[in-house]
């Protein structure tokens, strides 16, 4: 058992087994589940969920919780569509504006939380509400813009990447996952990040600029969410409630992947597996005729089981 637990800490073994089991079950019981069109659609949905969960993963490893994810998603979707579709701004220019605003708001969240030692969930909830509310107020509730066509191409399940029948957003997600893994585990910045999440006080005494870490992490989370909003605008169009499902689903993907609220515990590669599990599980539940309310119940039970398992482990700062 000790060997299994030690292996689970290094790799998402249980999650991979669950993913394979869910896929086999879906293929055996649902017609067309393993068809190519179904697989590409699931990969696109998992990519959007995984990208939305990137920032939340970093924030949880840091020891916080980001409730601004849906607000930044709405802001990114509406601003991109309105700037391009009604204001005549180029697609690249619209995305640049979205990234700049999200980075400023995210950095402000990290700075406020670190400066006054305020719980991130309180500050992030307020900042996220401000982002989405200000965007809706600017448009006066009239969402008559459209996303740049290249965003639709990026998120299309029938899209290709360099002639290969793989949706571009899936490739982007895969490359980003590799980059994040390298940065977290093979760079000085990554070691400082994990040290801050494990014990902020000890990290500060080790001359790590913990304020900079907090600012960068929350800015990254906000930018990721806003970019997901832009992608969703090309995928399904902008809407005031577009980001609501991604708060719970992204958090569930992170927790199911193995990242918990214990600080310095988790990895984005685990979240990638968690996003795939949730996407396949949702497809199975829909194929079996379950309603959204039933799905929420199952996700809640899944979170409780995972948290109960990891909650028995000690925090890293208590083990060192």
């Amino acid at each position: 058992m000790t060997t299994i637990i030690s292996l689970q800490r290094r790799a998402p073994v249980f999650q991979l087994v669950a993913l394979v089991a869910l896929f086999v079950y879906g293929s055996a019981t649902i017609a067309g589940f393993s068809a190519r069109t179904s697989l590409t659609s699931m990969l696109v949905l998992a990519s959007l969920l995984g990208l939305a969960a990137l920032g939340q993963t970093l924030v949880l490893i840091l020891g916080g919780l980001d409730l601004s994810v849906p607000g930044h998603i709405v802001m990114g979707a509406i601003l991109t569509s309105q700037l391009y579709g009604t204001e005549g701004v180029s697609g690249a220019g619209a995305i640049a504006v979205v990234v700049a605003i999200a980075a400023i708001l995210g950095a402000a969240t990290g700075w406020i939380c670190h400066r006054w030692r305020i719980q991130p969930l309180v500050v992030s909830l307020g900042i996220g509400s401000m982002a989405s509310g200000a965007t809706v107020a600017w448009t006066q509730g009239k969402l008559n813009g459209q996303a740049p066509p290249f965003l639709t191409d990026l998120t299309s399940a029938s899209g290709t990447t360099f002639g290969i029948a793989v949706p571009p957003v899936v490739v982007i997600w895969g490359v980003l996952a590799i980059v994040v893994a390298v940065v977290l585990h093979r760079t000085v910045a990554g070691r400082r990040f994990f040290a801050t999440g494990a014990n902020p006080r000890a990290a500060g005494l080790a001359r790590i600029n913990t304020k900079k870490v907090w600012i960068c992490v929350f800015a990254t989370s906000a930018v990721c969410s806003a970019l997901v909003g832009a992608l969703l605008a090309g995928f399904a169009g902008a809407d005031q409630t577009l980001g609501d499902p991604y708060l719970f689903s992204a958090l569930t993907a992170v927790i199911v992947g193995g990242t918990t609220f214990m600080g310095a515990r988790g990895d984005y590669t685990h979240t990638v597996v968690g996003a795939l599990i949730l996407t396949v599980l949702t497809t199975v539940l829909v194929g079996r005729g379950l309603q959204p309310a039933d799905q929420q119940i199952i996700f809640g039970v899944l979170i409780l089981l995972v948290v109960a398992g990891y909650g028995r482990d000690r925090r890293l700062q208590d083990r060192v």
Side-chain angles (χ1 to χ4, degrees), residues 142-153:
K142 300 176 182 178
L143 308 180
N144 50 13
Q146 61 179 6
F150 73 87
L151 291 177
T152 303
D153 296 335

Side-chain angles (χ1 to χ4, degrees), residues 17-180:
V17 171
L19 176 61
V20 173
L22 282 172
F23 184 82
V24 171
Y25 174 79
S27 300
T29 60
I30 301 175
F33 183 87
S34 58
R36 181 177 175 277
T37 54
S38 177
L39 291 177
T40 53
S41 297
M42 283 191 286
L43 284 175
V44 169
L45 294 175
S47 299
L48 294 171
L49 175 58
L51 292 172
L54 170 56
Q56 192 70 270
T57 302
L58 300 179
V59 172
L60 257 69
I61 293 175
L62 198 61
L65 179 63
D66 191 357
L67 298 184
S68 66
V69 170
H72 287 305
I73 288 177
V74 172
M75 184 269 291
I78 294 178
L79 267 187
T80 301
S81 299
Q82 293 299 114
L83 289 175
Y84 176 81
T86 63
E87 301 297 330
V89 180
S90 66
I95 292 179
V97 171
V98 167
V99 169
I101 294 176
I104 293 172
L105 293 176
T109 302
W111 181 80
I112 292 172
C113 294
H114 184 275
R115 175 65 178 80
W116 283 287
R117 299 295 188 268
I118 304 175
Q119 280 290 339
L121 62 90
V122 177
V123 181
S124 61
L125 179 61
I127 294 292
S129 299
M130 289 172 54
S132 59
T135 307
V136 174
W138 174 62
T139 61
Q140 298 180 347
K142 300 176 182 178
L143 308 180
N144 50 13
Q146 61 179 6
F150 73 87
L151 291 177
T152 303
D153 296 335
L154 287 178
T155 56
S156 173
S158 59
T160 60
T161 305
F162 301 115
I164 302 175
V166 179
V169 68
V170 177
V171 177
I172 293 173
W173 184 37
V175 172
L176 184 61
I178 295 173
V179 171
V180 172

